Amino acid sequence: MGAEIKIIIAAIPILPLLASVITLILGRRFFKEASFVLPVLGILISFFFSLFVLSQVLHGKTFEFDLFAWIVSDSLKVGFGFLIDSLSIMMVCMVLSLSLLIHIYSIGYMEGDPGFYRFFAYISLFTFSMLALVMSNNLLQLYLGWEAVGLCSYLLIGFWYEKKSAADAAKKAFIVNRIGDFGFALGIFLLFSAVGGLYYHQVFDNLPLIQGKTISFLGIKWSLPFLISFLLFMGAMGKSAQVPLHVWLPDAMEGPTPVSALIHAATMVTAGVFMVARLHPLYLISPGALELVALTGTFTCFMAATIAPTQFDIKRVIAYSTLSQLGYMFMACGVGAFAAGMFHLFTHAYFKALLFLAAGSVIHAFHHAPDPNDIRIMGGLRKYMPYTFFTFLIGALALSGFPGFSGFFSKEGILISAYLSPYPWGKLVWLVGVFVAFLTSFYSFRLVFVVFFGEFRGGSIFHGEKPHESPLVMVIPLMLISVGAIFAGYLDIPGFLKSTLAHEPVHPHHGEHFFQNLLALIAGLSGILVAWWVYIKNPELKELFPRKFPGIYRFLYNKWWFDEVYHEVIVKPVLFLSRRLVVGFSDLFVIEGIVNGSARVVGGIAGAFRRVHTGIVNHYAVFTLIGIIIYLLVFFYLK
């Protein structure tokens, strides 16, 4: 391997890191309104480097090397290095292309914000972290990137930290992810103890050693591959927001919209899917783990799709859509169709980033409204914001799986892969996936019709004026990402990934499966038609469901009561025990008792000495005489 290609590969993550560090240290004082220059330039150069590396991978080359030795301790030997194959370079190109366009979009969206330099430093640091994660050649470096993207997510969700809801959402995301990441770390420890290494090639080469083995844990005998896979999947449930660790993602919409587009729709939340695909040989030797992945994804997919139609915050609707689509990806992995899951990850990144950025364009126009995210104050915006409408419509069509758009190809691939799966849960995954396809189309076009059609309802906010289109620096990235939302599905991603994932891609358009494909297509088109019927043709129907089924509506509107149950079952007991045990006993009794008690002892001794040291010579003479007498008495007594 030539030194030049090593330098180019290493430069891909390092350039965004350098741009982030320099901007964070010097941006406020020296760069100010130009704080975006270094991050954008760093991402741009890295993107061109990634295209060069992609051309090498397309010619059948793979690259694996360590940049330097990181940890060497007894049998643990891990370097900071890179593995570039079809899976990692696909992720690198996707991350960098979206990151570049979202950086440019953010120039207009974040203009005038006092934390302008800080935003670009954080988002560039995130890009480095995500690249370190997907380019890693070992699990420890993957864990480093895993935690780093979590840190950046925390910083960017709470970017407007003076806003309580944003600060609370950032803490919620950080704490919930700690639960998943604890399991993830345990899984890495257990895997290392089982196979004796953390490099991917060491893990894969030694998997036959653990196949069929059991381990005793908590008094129960577990299949070793299942336990390792389950613990690792805990991390995926947190990072990729799957039930029961999904509750942080909707609240993460408190961050700036570009953050929602890049981190909480297109890249970081897909890290769990990437991890499962990267370690697919481990999951393939544990059918129980595959079933867990499939059923978790299926439940999350269904649950989120039932919540989205009841929400009125434009970003939260798209956030629940993200939860549902992540469920689709795990459904694919759970039936062994890892290539199909990664294909949907790739197409979803573009159309979901497009939807978030188009929503951000709308929010930007309503920035002076009390709640600029509320779709009930919008309406008729296609006349005033035609470019935003056009791009949002493309994103909604792709999300709905409309024929010819990217989401159609990847979603159909997942559904037919589930239907043809040899696993017994495959048909259940397919059935739920078809129903969710209907719901997805319905709530996507609910947004389209409520926000962009009908009469404009924000007249009182604009005082007779009308909203206007966003600046070109925001519109141009929207147009470019819309190209990906349309054409990403035409790329043969399953075929490209075949050499890495070693799994035959299932093509969704075989003639013998015409009925299954047609049913999924009808479900998606029906959702669009029903949304048109309810929100355009007969608007009074939108009140029918809440009126006829108020209990079910409240259940869905309140997000299946997950937050309330967690608050009662987990948060309240933890706060109670913290106040009683930590504050009441440990802090007040032990810590303050020791500190204040020692202070009182020292004060008492000092007070006694203070009475002796009067400064009067006669007193000192008497004390000296008494001391001599006591000494003589003791001396003669002991003698």
Side-chain angles (χ1 to χ4, degrees), residues 396-438:
L397 287 169
L399 173 60
S400 302
F402 195 83
F405 290 78
S406 61
F408 169 75
F409 301 103
S410 58
K411 189 178 290 186
E412 293 293 299
I414 289 175
L415 292 177
I416 199 63
S417 297
Y419 187 83
L420 298 176
S421 167
Y423 298 105
W425 51 87
K427 295 294 190 296
L428 172 64
V429 167
W430 173 78
L431 186 63
V432 174
V434 170
F435 179 65
V436 170
F438 165 77

Side-chain angles (χ1 to χ4, degrees), residues 298-365:
T298 302
F299 183 77
T300 305
C301 183
F302 172 77
M303 177 210 66
T306 60
I307 295 172
T310 67
Q311 303 300 301
F312 296 102
D313 184 310
I314 187 170
K315 285 175 65 178
R316 283 181 182 262
V317 173
I318 303 173
Y320 279 108
S321 166
T322 301
L323 283 176
S324 187
Q325 298 304 303
L326 288 167
Y328 262 113
M329 298 172 206
F330 282 114
M331 287 157 64
C333 293
V335 295
F338 301 98
M342 291 304 298
F343 187 23
H344 195 55
L345 182 156
F346 184 76
T347 60
H348 172 266
Y350 291 98
F351 63 71
K352 189 53 62 67
L354 179 63
L355 282 170
F356 265 117
L357 293 184
S361 180
V362 173
I363 293 167
H364 187 263

Side-chain angles (χ1 to χ4, degrees), residues 111-127:
E111 183 181 12
D113 193 284
F116 191 72
Y117 81 97
R118 188 164 47 90
F119 177 84
F120 281 96
Y122 289 166
I123 206 167
S124 188
L125 179 63
F126 166 79
T127 305

Side-chain angles (χ1 to χ4, degrees), residues 77 85 90 124 127 147 153 165-166 202 266 271 279 386 466 480 491 505 510 519 554 614 624:
K77 296 178 178 62
D85 55 13
M90 183 207 81
S124 188
T127 305
E147 293 302 315
S153 175
S165 58
Q202 293 175 324
L279 298 176
K466 302 297 181 184
L480 292 174
L491 301 174
H510 295 310
L519 189 62
R554 280 197 304 272
T614 61
T624 303

Side-chain angles (χ1 to χ4, degrees), residues 144-189:
L144 172 69
W146 191 276
E147 293 302 315
V149 294
L151 170 64
C152 294
S153 175
Y154 168 77
L155 294 172
L156 286 163
I157 294 170
F159 181 77
W160 291 313
Y161 53 83
E162 68 282 356
K163 186 178 172 185
K164 186 178 185 302
S165 58
D168 289 344
K171 287 182 285 188
K172 183 177 183 179
F174 197 78
I175 292 169
V176 171
N177 272 276
R178 295 287 60 73
I179 299 168
D181 292 354
F182 176 69
F184 191 55
L186 290 179
I188 293 175
F189 296 155

Side-chain angles (χ1 to χ4, degrees), residues 265-598:
T267 55
M268 186 196 80
V269 292
T270 61
V273 182
F274 169 80
M275 184 273 294
V276 172
R278 173 60 81 192
L279 298 176
H280 71 280
L282 172 64
Y283 283 86
L284 286 174
I285 66 171
S286 176
L290 281 180
E291 183 178 9
L292 174 67
V293 171
L295 296 182
T296 301
T298 302
F299 183 77
T300 305
C301 183
F302 172 77
M303 177 210 66
T306 60
I307 295 172
T310 67
Q311 303 300 301
F312 296 102
D313 184 310
I314 187 170
K315 285 175 65 178
R316 283 181 182 262
V317 173
I318 303 173
Y320 279 108
S321 166
T322 301
L323 283 176
S324 187
Q325 298 304 303
L326 288 167
Y328 262 113
M329 298 172 206
F330 282 114
M331 287 157 64
C333 293
V335 295
F338 301 98
M342 291 304 298
F343 187 23
H344 195 55
L345 182 156
F346 184 76
T347 60
H348 172 266
Y350 291 98
F351 63 71
K352 189 53 62 67
L354 179 63
L355 282 170
F356 265 117
L357 293 184
S361 180
V362 173
I363 293 167
H364 187 263
F366 283 77
H367 67 276
H368 54 284
D371 184 1
N373 295 15
D374 194 336
I375 61 175
R376 290 170 291 192
I377 64 172
M378 300 172 188
L381 294 184
R382 74 184 192 281
K383 295 180 289 187
Y384 312 113
M385 307 180 72
Y387 296 114
T388 299
F389 164 66
F390 177 68
T391 53
F392 194 98
L393 179 61
I394 290 173
L397 287 169
L399 173 60
S400 302
F402 195 83
F405 290 78
S406 61
F408 169 75
F409 301 103
S410 58
K411 189 178 290 186
E412 293 293 299
I414 289 175
L415 292 177
I416 199 63
S417 297
Y419 187 83
L420 298 176
S421 167
Y423 298 105
W425 51 87
K427 295 294 190 296
L428 172 64
V429 167
W430 173 78
L431 186 63
V432 174
V434 170
F435 179 65
V436 170
F438 165 77
L439 290 177
T440 301
S441 299
F442 174 75
Y443 65 67
S444 299
F445 275 83
R446 170 180 177 256
L447 283 183
V448 171
F449 295 138
V450 172
V451 173
F452 294 101
F453 286 78
E455 295 299 320
F456 178 60
R457 297 181 292 275
S460 59
I461 298 169
F462 284 83
H463 306 293
E465 298 182 9
K466 302 297 181 184
H468 57 79
E469 188 59 86
S470 297
L472 280 178
V473 74
M474 294 171 63
V475 169
I476 291 174
L478 282 175
M479 303 297 285
L480 292 174
I481 295 176
S482 66
V483 174
I486 297 172
F487 295 107
Y490 291 89
L491 301 174
D492 185 17
I493 297 298
F496 179 61
L497 296 175
K498 184 179 177 182
S499 61
T500 300
L501 296 181
H503 202 73
E504 185 68 28
V506 177
H507 299 285
H509 303 298
H510 295 310
E512 61 268 26
H513 304 298
F514 175 78
F515 173 75
Q516 288 79 13
N517 290 320
L518 181 63
L519 189 62
L521 177 61
I522 290 173
L525 295 177
S526 299
I528 299 175
L529 182 63
V530 172
W532 173 81
W533 184 262
V534 171
Y535 292 97
I536 298 295
K537 187 68 175 174
N538 299 288
E540 66 277 3
L541 290 178
K542 64 178 182 249
E543 301 299 331
L544 182 64
F545 184 76
R547 190 173 62 250
K548 292 287 186 181
F549 307 98
I552 298 175
Y553 180 80
R554 280 197 304 272
F555 176 70
L556 299 178
Y557 179 76
N558 288 286
K559 301 157 287 187
W560 288 40
W561 303 107
F562 268 102
D563 283 316
E564 290 76 8
V565 170
Y566 284 1
H567 185 74
E568 294 296 327
V569 175
I570 299 173
V571 177
K572 277 189 174 180
V574 168
L575 289 177
F576 175 80
L577 292 174
S578 299
R579 292 185 182 116
R580 292 298 177 94
L581 294 180
V582 178
V583 179
F585 178 75
S586 301
D587 194 20
L588 294 178
F589 182 73
V590 178
I591 297 174
E592 290 192 19
I594 292 172
V595 173
N596 294 338
S598 60

